[in-house]
Amino acid sequence: MKIIRHKDFRVEENTYHRLDSIEDVEEFYGAIKRETLTHKLSSERPFCYWTLEVYDKENGIRGGGGLGVLAADTRRVAEQLQVPFVMITPFYPWESHQKMQNMEQTDYHVEKNYADFGFNLVDTVSIKTSTTAVELAVVEKQLGTTRFLCVTEPNFGELYSGESGSDHRLYQEVALGFGGYQALKLVGLKPAVIQLNEVATFFAAIARLDELVSSGMDFYEAVVYTRKHTLYTNHTLVQAAEAMFTFRQFEQYVFPNVKSSAVRRWLAEKFTDGRIKLSTPTIEIAELRSGVSKLHARVANYRDINGNRVKFKAITNGIHVDTWVLPEIVEYYEKNGILDKFSLPTEDYQEKVEKVSAEDIRYLKNLGRVKLNEILQDRTDQYGNPVHIPEDALLFDFKRRFVDYKRPWLPFTDYERLADILEKNDAYYILAGRVHLGDATMFGELMKLLKLIDGHPVLKKRVSYLPDYDEELGYGLSLGSNVAINTPIVGLEACGTSWMKDIANMGLLISTHDGGVADMPADNYLNIDGRDEAEEVAALYEQMDVAAQAWRNDFDLEYWVHKELAAYLPVISGARMMKDYLTYLF
Ligand SMILES: *Cc1c(COP(=O)(O)O)cnc(C)c1O
């Protein structure tokens, strides 16, 4: 079978690239050397992806961070590649937001109705607790070869409402696992494979095991069968940090939903001192296990029930290119033979990347800046004021969830130096973040930063904080900012995907060597190196100078953009990720 080449493909305006015919799909599968795949996956036996979190605003489901972005992108890539795919996830009836006025933050909640986002009600299913039954609505939305299959009910709450070991969280996880499995049967589907996006989805595998055993399969055969068809994707580094549930909680929420006494016994054996971490039984029930970058798969420290270190297959996250990259840049990549119609890098993409000129980069980046400013029109800063970045000014950004290990304060360590760099380069700095609801420590850190900025005339003029960080802001900043700053403590970022959005949109990346960035050698981007935090801070400011210099000098700009694209386009490609998953699964 021949691999599709770019020259066979015409770029048309406003197309959301799909494979156009079944022959195209066959060619894709042929290209990944899996001719038998179509026999294993079908519309009745799809790839079933369970996740507690999806970040897909267009479809009414808002996640909390990278795990949800990955889930949404995985479905979009599956749709683009015409993979039969079902995403089983809750439809949350409530969603939390933040706004700021005069540095005072207010949290507010928005009610969501699935019908407003094109979901149809299928029917209801029910799950049990020890004292009652809960009816869940099953709603679905078809998108090409993929669909959302959601469970929901008015008291389901928000994403991550309740502490991670709380009754409510367990209820949500049980509802998604057992309720979601019933939903699948309701619409007449059988899973070809189950992907568990983190351990919160573990009960889906138990629902399947329970069904096999209850319908007469020998218990051990059922375990072997379930194991072979279940992939557990881990995004967390340390098992120690995981929340625990008690046996009493299981008696109340889990066991009433398990028909087979053998399955209940099997689960009960996984408790130690009356407590359980869901990763323990998840590792037992999933023979396939993946981590989300090379580094993460290597360092994730998980033990199985016998105390043996668990091995994870590295499948680095990718992004759905059409979603996160300026359409003109996608078109540019395709016209110039850098990406093919699947958003996979072409065979000779590295040679083609060398021809990307500074003039093209600047032109495309300017279009991105216009788009960013459009998005900023609907946003306000920490004072409640609108933000506009001059078209010709240099823009640095730091856009992340506000969590400790990402170190949003790092660039402010020597704030006079930061102010100097911004002033002498006529540069601006946007800090976009979201503090987890109830995280008082990080909220305190944020307030400290905002006060510092408020008290410094240069910083006050050049630094803006944008609350309620979401995918629209993530998109806009990837398009319109010149330099992105990524400073996780090395070893703590599982993968990260916002840096991928920055590189794909031809921005410069300043980063520590961590997560998916560390899939490639550190000389491919503006690396922050250092033996301790003080050295890292010094390196960060040096690289900010280098980046500012590069945006003034065509030769340097081309040098860094070529480096980044040549090294990372294969990593970034969501189609590459899907290809890796399919190859691992089948
Ligand atoms: C891309 C994106 C993420 C992923 O961020 P990382 O910090 O790179 O993991 C999280 N949230 C939003 C809103 C995003 O757009």
Side-chain angles (χ1 to χ4, degrees), residues 210-501:
D210 190 43
E211 188 196 31
L212 294 174
V213 177
S214 313
S215 58
M217 195 186 267
D218 169 73
F219 177 75
Y220 290 100
E221 263 177 46
V223 170
V224 169
Y225 185 87
T226 308
R227 277 173 57 84
K228 280 210 174 310
H229 294 88
T230 305
L231 165 63
Y232 156 39
T233 299
N234 171 291
H235 298 251
T236 327
L237 286 141
V238 280
Q239 207 167 11
E242 193 181 316
M244 293 201 267
F245 294 109
T246 63
F247 197 76
R248 187 199 58 77
Q249 286 178 304
F250 263 55
E251 283 180 322
Q252 210 175 339
Y253 294 99
V254 180
F255 294 144
N257 295 291
V258 181
K259 293 190 266 320
S260 148
S261 57
V263 175
R264 279 199 297 270
R265 251 194 327 274
W266 183 87
L267 267 175
E269 282 163 13
K270 307 294 177 284
F271 280 77
T272 320
D273 301 327
R275 285 167 179 276
I276 194 169
K277 283 185 177 164
L278 292 185
S279 57
T280 308
T282 307
I283 288 161
E284 298 297 303
I285 205 63
E287 192 175 281
L288 305 159
R289 302 154 192 151
S290 64
V292 291
S293 70
K294 287 182 186 168
L295 180 64
H296 168 244
R298 206 163 61 234
V299 302
N301 189 1
Y302 278 69
R303 307 266 156 187
D304 67 15
I305 198 147
N306 303 314
N308 298 319
R309 179 93 185 248
V310 176
K311 283 206 178 78
F312 291 99
K313 164 98 181 155
I315 298 181
T316 304
N317 291 344
I319 57 172
H320 182 239
V321 170
D322 295 72
T323 297
W324 295 106
V325 182
L326 183 76
E328 288 84 352
I329 295 186
V330 179
E331 195 178 320
Y332 179 90
Y333 288 149
E334 290 179 347
K335 280 204 168 127
N336 291 290
I338 293 169
L339 292 182
D340 68 14
K341 65 196 266 188
F342 309 109
S343 305
L344 279 166
T346 57
E347 251 165 75
D348 56 354
Y349 82 98
Q350 288 186 316
E351 270 167 53
K352 302 283 167 59
V353 156
E354 289 300 315
K355 299 193 180 108
V356 175
S357 70
E359 194 188 344
D360 293 344
I361 301 168
R362 291 181 198 284
Y363 171 74
L364 292 164
K365 235 11 200 185
N366 280 344
L367 295 180
R369 176 64 58 83
V370 171
K371 182 74 198 160
L372 169 64
N373 276 323
E374 259 172 55
I375 290 171
L376 291 182
Q377 277 177 5
D378 301 324
R379 299 282 179 154
T380 51
D381 65 8
Q382 64 268 43
Y383 305 103
N385 297 328
V387 178
H388 180 92
I389 305 295
E391 308 291 313
D392 52 352
L394 191 72
L395 176 61
F396 291 90
D397 79 288
F398 184 105
K399 50 178 177 324
R400 263 141 195 82
R401 281 179 302 123
F402 242 77
V403 288
D404 205 57
Y405 80 86
K406 291 182 187 266
R407 299 189 290 186
W409 57 82
L410 203 73
F412 295 86
T413 313
D414 181 353
Y415 57 86
E416 293 296 355
R417 177 86 190 266
L418 174 65
D420 260 9
I421 293 173
L422 297 180
E423 188 72 9
K424 78 171 183 247
N425 292 298
D426 184 23
Y428 292 80
Y429 187 107
I430 288 184
L431 178 64
R434 210 174 139 78
V435 181
H436 272 293
L437 214 57
D439 186 345
T441 318
M442 285 310 287
F443 190 70
E445 290 294 335
L446 172 62
M447 291 316 288
K448 251 175 34 195
L449 275 187
L450 295 184
K451 285 198 184 110
L452 170 73
I453 295 163
D454 193 50
H456 194 292
V458 174
L459 296 181
K460 191 163 178 177
K461 175 176 169 213
R462 299 192 172 274
V463 181
S464 307
Y465 169 70
L466 296 173
D468 211 25
Y469 171 52
D470 63 0
E471 58 188 330
E472 187 186 40
L473 210 43
Y475 175 70
L477 287 166
S478 308
L479 264 50
S481 116
N482 304 91
V483 189
I485 297 175
N486 181 44
T487 55
I489 296 173
V490 173
L492 296 189
E493 185 69 85
C495 179
T497 50
S498 52
W499 63 270
M500 298 183 182
K501 303 167 195 168

Side-chain angles (χ1 to χ4, degrees), residues 109 154 164 193 210 399 414 468 488 501 510 545 576-577 580:
H109 305 264
S164 42
V193 286
D210 190 43
K399 50 178 177 324
D414 181 353
D468 211 25
K501 303 167 195 168
I510 298 179
D545 276 329
R576 185 275 315 152
M577 170 180 71
D580 287 351

Side-chain angles (χ1 to χ4, degrees), residues 97-167:
H97 289 266
Q98 310 164 330
K99 65 173 177 245
M100 272 199 160
Q101 198 105 47
N102 301 322
M103 287 166 51
E104 297 265 356
Q105 181 164 304
T106 355
D107 292 303
Y108 63 101
H109 305 264
V110 177
E111 196 170 353
K112 308 288 288 239
N113 185 340
Y114 60 80
D116 297 340
F117 295 92
F119 283 81
N120 298 312
L121 175 67
V122 182
D123 203 343
T124 58
V125 294
S126 91
I127 57 155
K128 296 183 194 121
T129 71
S130 55
T131 52
T132 177
V134 181
E135 204 162 84
L136 300 165
V138 174
V139 301
E140 74 163 346
K141 181 172 181 179
Q142 191 90 35
L143 292 148
T145 57
T146 73
R147 67 172 121 187
F148 279 108
L149 192 58
C150 303
V151 289
T152 188
E153 52 95 7
N155 297 314
F156 202 86
E158 289 178 8
L159 173 66
Y160 302 141
S161 52
E163 295 288 304
S164 42
S166 68
D167 286 359

